[in-house]
Amino acid sequence: MTLMANMMRAGNSRRVSMACAPAGAMASRSEPLLRVDGLCVGTEHSDLVLDVSFDLAPGETLCLVGESGCGKSLTCLATMGLLSAPVKRKAGRVMFAGEELSGLSETALLRLRGREVSMIFQDATAALNPVRRVGDQVAEVLSLHEGLTSRAARDRTTELFEMVGIPDPRARLRAYPHELSGGMNQRIMIAMALACKPQLIIADEATTALDVTTQAQILKLLRRLQAETGAAMIFVTHDLGVVAEIADRVAVMYSGRIVELATADTLFDAPSHPYTRGLMACRLHAGTHNTGRLAAIEGVVPNPTARPQGCAFGPRCPQVTTTCVEMPALTAREEGHSVACHYPGDDR
Amino acid sequence: MKILSAIAGVAFGLTAVLGASAATASDRPDIVVAVPDLPPTLEPAKELSNIGTRITYDIFDTVIRRDFLSAEDGSGSQLVPALAESWEWTDDRTLALKLREGVKFHNGETMTAEDVAFTFSAERLSGPEAIMANGRGYFGNIESVEATGPLEVTFTLKVPDAIFEQRLASWTAWVVNKSDWLKNAGDSYPQFPVGTGPFMLDEYKPDQSIRLVAFDDYFGGKPKAASLTFVKVPEEAARIAGLVAGDFDIVTTIGPDQIAQIDSYDNVEARSVVLSNSHVLVYNTKNPVIADKRIRQAMNLAIDRDLLVQALWAGKTVVPLSHQYKEYGALFEPNREGLTYDPERAKELLAEAGYNGETIYYSTNPNYYVNTVPAAEAIMEMWKAVGINGKLNLVEDVMGVPENERMVRTWSNTTRFPDPAGGLWNLWGPHQGVQRKNEWTPENFNVLGAELDVTSDLAERKVVFQKMLDIWEDEAPGTILYQPLETYGVRSSLEWRPYSHFYLDLRNYNFEDQAATQ
Amino acid sequence: MTFGFVTLKLLRGILTLFLAVTFVFLILRFAGDPMRLMLPDDTPPDVLEHYRHVYGLDLPLPVQYLRYLQGLTQGEFGYSFRDQQPALDTVMSRVPATLLLGLVSFALSTIFGMVAGVIAALKRGSTVDHAVISFSIFGHSMPSFFLGILMILLFAMTWRILPSAGMGTPAHLVMPALTLAVGGAGAIARFTRSSMLEVLSQPYIRTARAKGVPVRTRVLRDAVPNAAIPVITVLGLRMGGLISGTVVVETVFAWPGIGQLLVTAVGQRDLAVVQTIVILIAFTMVTANYLVDLAYRWLDPRIATAGKDAG
Ligand SMILES: Nc1ncnc2c1ncn2[C@@H]1O[C@H](COP(=O)(O)OP(=O)(O)O)[C@@H](O)[C@H]1O
Ligand code: SF4
Ligand SMILES: [Mg+2]
């Protein structure tokens, strides 16, 4: 590890600007379905997501991991064009299937959302309208995007309910969200997201609120449906167990930035960023599921308005040196594996 | 069900209104009067308030009429023939009336002596069990009333009554149609009896409007207005606005502070009249704090009435010369000193009486009389200036205050017929409030009053009355503050004068619409 | 909507009515002698006594009270001192006028208030929003008496486009209904706005946007039904005050409804009429309360289930 890290340090000349790094990293792959390029998100007074770039191929699953507050949800929302004031996209582009989403009007985006790109939210019960029947809420997507009659939409919804494993689907159409369990509501959200067979699914902590058994069922379901429809997926979680199960590639975020981007195998075999390694260590500690905080790494994520100079992880990093007051760039360590650390893979 | 049918009623009413076309043009004007309130009945012996009489006066006539216009200020008291052509005393207890011939009631019937006799009959008005219970206060002295001919009515009195003719021209004396009255009386009295007056009832909308139309067979001539509608508009500002906007021709009950405002508009003007009414204070002479008459005299001497008139009534109202009014005619003594303001004398009297700053409670209902609170506050200051420790009690019911605080209360005295028998003697005598409530029990005053009742010689009556005034002033069971002003807003082109009573008389001798006759 | 719920509501309603009746009965008896106010100043005492006897006012208070209650149970509301008519008839004859005025202004204030509140919330911080907030404060702080007079001065006196007072044509309805609606619309707009702001930040609104639902549909189908739930309470209060709320406006505009009758009747201590009106007002409030419950159940399925579970 140390060797490698040194090699990387020696290869400083290969350091590239963040804006173009991912393009380079993915050059060998087929034309990506989604390309996020230099995305910056924030309010007038703060930067909440900084210079985030990644690609996603059709059918591929990218996991976004990191502690709470590191900018995963904002990255997802920015991708969907769903940011709302005072938070806005300050720089960067989002390309989807050759089209620049970040340049489209809200009206044009509305035609895409729910049809080409769908999103599944964390707390499904809160994400469903409490005063409308769940069947209607799902059928609405179908009549909206596919122009189905209410009758046809209802039949399709029943099929979808069946597909996501809702027992007695016809009766459930008339249920209200508060009458169903959290797991059941998440299945409904999934049915809603998949209704129009989108090319991209963004699942923001879709399983975090669920108990372990249900979580496993939902994951299985998502994997199956993804296989059936061939959709790509961004899956946000801070549970590495989930990552291991579902991810093709992983982007680790810390304080608004991607600090390590690699295939799932590489990441688990050779985690290179001290933060990633901290996450891995945490995984070995029992009971840190679902908390979103890392007991093994002391300290907390810095406030976005008061980040330390240089590497934001500095104050918590076991390997921190004086060099770290300079911002480490996200640098390709090898093909498909980039790290933002002055001492990647160094286990001094 | 009721509510449903009521809603249906509204809907129907609205369509009816929308569908109705404008009233047909007529050379006679339709007069609209805005008033603060409307009476629940037009039985003239029932609604004796200003609310009722200003309307019933145009529907009914009396046998003898008091000509208010016989005095410049609208308080004239000359008696003239009305339904009766002439009358004659056969002895001092018997009066025979000769009625006018061919007078028509609104229902088409011709008036006879029977109708008049019934109007004043024991069963309807004058007996102890009379249905119109208010009548006894005015006509309890009638022993019998009979139709002694088709057009002759004879009254027999229990005791001689020098002012019986004035009574016949006064309240509760309006003549009704006997057959109609009895037919519609139900358990008590008819809500809308038939009369002989210049206007007859056309439409009654409770709490909304009362529309009268011209009665063209009126014995006094065809009325000069086609209709006379009284509209309820409780808010003074709304009445004035409606007058200025041309919605109303006359508006009543305008405060003195609005006179200048009304006069500032073209086409409309304020017309005021000093009422045959006085705002008074009653002192409870039985309360130990003010039992000494010198204290009560001091309370009276300390009040600067002219200042009240200037400050509260824009100088437009008057202070009478004691409890006597010009309309009393021969009984009025113009050389009385009247109600004087003498703070120095007041201080002396207080010292003599040994007044020691005991609290003197002054109770009034803030909403009953116009300007009652500002007046009370001013009087508190005036009393304080001579050393009287007055305390204002704003209450709903001035008789409801604790016994020991019953000292001064506000009241008003309306002179219902132009004679002390309808004023001082009636109001401060043994049959009315003050003495009934045991606030003042003057023996010599009562003896003189009894004498007044049976004295018909004017010179003698005057002597008796003036002695009564002396007693009233000396014993000071209260005092008069001033005679309030009643102000109307009127379209300038209307020739019409208000009276010192609330009657709103639109008979031909008091009405001409210059705008309509042009 | 279980049997238990209905019974409970009914009992509570009856209790409210009973308390209102008792309270007003006592207040009125202690407020002074109605006969002295009804009859002229110089009415002879025996005449006063006669009328007191006729109306049973000479009986001991508890007897009067029991008699009155007994009458009520038989639909007997007593007789007006003023015109000897049954008090219920007198009061009911004024119901249509008040209902017309009350419902029109209720509808106006509800529609205008909710639309303004929704728009203000959608355009938060904009000029429109500030205008709605200002209007709301204006409507809240402007006494209806003053506003009414102001309208009369403008519309009837200066411009002469509307009749100054009374009832009859639809034109007569304009000023009183507007005067009455302004305060209500202000309150409803304020409530709708804050409720709407709360709802707009809810996750399910974001879900709708993520589904591709256009903004109009999102507002009408997702936001408004949720935002309306808390607003129902305000609407209920306004509906409960439908009759009592018209008192001032009816007086200013000479509108011949219950409010004006109440002023007159209180002024004259017309006991039976005042009592009947108070019962009617209490009844309206109880009914409005019940309607609010129904509306809640209709708008918010969560409550219906809670009721089902509990009952
Ligand atoms: N509307 C907002 N206004 C201001 N700050 C926000 C807003 N939404 C999120 N943030 C901040 O942005 C950061 C990233 O948030 P988020 O993307 O939700 O984190 P994650 O999903 O990784 O837990 C956090 O510090 C959060 O406090
Ligand atoms: S740059 Fe320095 S502080 Fe940041 S993670 Fe690497 S070693 Fe730690
Ligand atoms: Mg998140």
Side-chain angles (χ1 to χ4, degrees), chain A residues 41-43 46-49 65-77 83-87 122 204-205 236 238 253 256 301-305 307:
Chain A
V41 173
T43 65
S46 64
D47 292 318
L48 303 171
V49 171
V65 297
E67 282 165 282
S68 265
C70 65
K72 307 181 297 287
S73 293
L74 289 184
T75 304
C76 296
L77 291 173
L83 293 172
S84 52
V87 180
Q122 171 170 357
D204 187 0
E205 314 222 24
V236 175
H238 46 251
M253 289 187 73
V301 188
N303 186 313
T305 55
R307 291 196 182 89

Side-chain angles (χ1 to χ4, degrees), chain B residues 10 38 207 232 265 396-397, chain C residues 82 94 96 157 260 269:
Chain B
V10 166
L38 293 172
D207 245 5
K232 176 173 173 178
Y265 292 99
E396 186 74 25
D397 178 2
Chain C
R82 206 159 168 243
R94 308 300 162 83
M157 210 155 135
Q260 222 192 100
R269 300 289 179 290

Side-chain angles (χ1 to χ4, degrees), chain B residues 243-412:
Chain B
L243 174 73
V244 173
D247 295 347
F248 311 131
D249 301 286
I250 301 176
V251 301
T252 74
T253 327
I254 299 299
D257 49 331
Q258 297 297 319
I259 293 174
Q261 153 91 7
I262 291 181
D263 284 337
S264 72
Y265 292 99
D266 294 345
N267 310 331
V268 301
E269 63 193 42
R271 290 182 198 165
S272 300
V273 62
V274 173
L275 293 172
S276 299
N277 170 276
S278 290
H279 284 183
V280 305
L281 299 181
V282 180
Y283 303 152
N284 180 9
T285 65
K286 301 298 164 62
N287 189 300
V289 176
I290 55 171
D292 188 324
K293 76 177 180 188
R294 288 170 299 187
I295 295 179
R296 303 195 300 268
Q297 287 166 353
M299 286 156 72
N300 285 351
L301 288 166
I303 299 175
D304 185 350
R305 294 173 183 77
D306 290 334
L307 184 60
L308 293 178
V309 168
Q310 288 304 326
L312 306 180
W313 300 90
K316 305 226 179 203
T317 184
V318 298
V319 179
L321 272 181
S322 190
H323 210 304
Q324 58 161 0
Y325 305 90
K326 286 199 194 93
E327 62 199 73
Y328 291 5
L331 299 196
F332 179 78
E333 172 50 66
N335 295 320
R336 267 198 95 83
E337 199 187 358
L339 309 159
T340 48
Y341 168 58
D342 188 347
E344 292 315 313
R345 178 79 191 119
K347 284 181 196 162
E348 282 168 31
L349 286 168
L350 288 173
E352 281 170 33
Y355 172 74
N356 249 335
E358 292 89 348
T359 306
I360 295 180
Y361 289 94
Y362 181 120
S363 304
T364 187
N365 176 326
N367 303 317
Y368 204 73
Y369 302 115
V370 177
N371 274 336
T372 190
V373 174
E377 284 166 347
I379 291 169
M380 291 301 103
E381 288 304 313
M382 292 169 182
W383 282 356
K384 201 165 144 198
V386 300
I388 296 171
N389 175 24
K391 188 171 188 316
L392 192 52
N393 237 352
L394 295 182
V395 291
E396 186 74 25
D397 178 2
V398 290
M399 292 308 293
V401 298
E403 190 58 36
N404 62 326
E405 291 182 12
R406 273 185 51 199
M407 296 185 205
V408 182
R409 66 177 168 99
T410 51
W411 192 32
S412 96

Side-chain angles (χ1 to χ4, degrees), chain A residues 52-128:
Chain A
V52 163
S53 305
F54 60 86
D55 282 7
L56 193 61
E60 189 184 23
T61 299
L62 171 74
C63 272
L64 281 182
V65 297
E67 282 165 282
S68 265
C70 65
K72 307 181 297 287
S73 293
L74 289 184
T75 304
C76 296
L77 291 173
T79 307
M80 294 278 295
L82 279 178
L83 293 172
S84 52
V87 180
K88 58 180 191 289
R89 183 175 54 88
K90 293 166 108 176
R93 296 193 308 166
V94 177
M95 303 288 299
F96 175 79
E99 201 171 7
E100 184 178 348
L101 291 193
S102 40
L104 291 182
S105 67
E106 173 73 10
T107 325
L109 281 171
L110 283 173
R111 278 197 292 272
L112 282 178
R113 292 196 207 115
R115 188 176 64 183
E116 301 291 341
V117 193
S118 294
M119 190 151 177
I120 304 170
F121 295 98
Q122 171 170 357
D123 181 354
T125 307
L128 288 168

Side-chain angles (χ1 to χ4, degrees), chain A residues 273-274 311 313-314 317 319-320 324 328 341-343:
Chain A
H273 195 281
C311 179
F313 189 56
C317 181
Q319 276 130 286
V320 64
C324 303
C341 175
H342 293 303
Y343 309 104

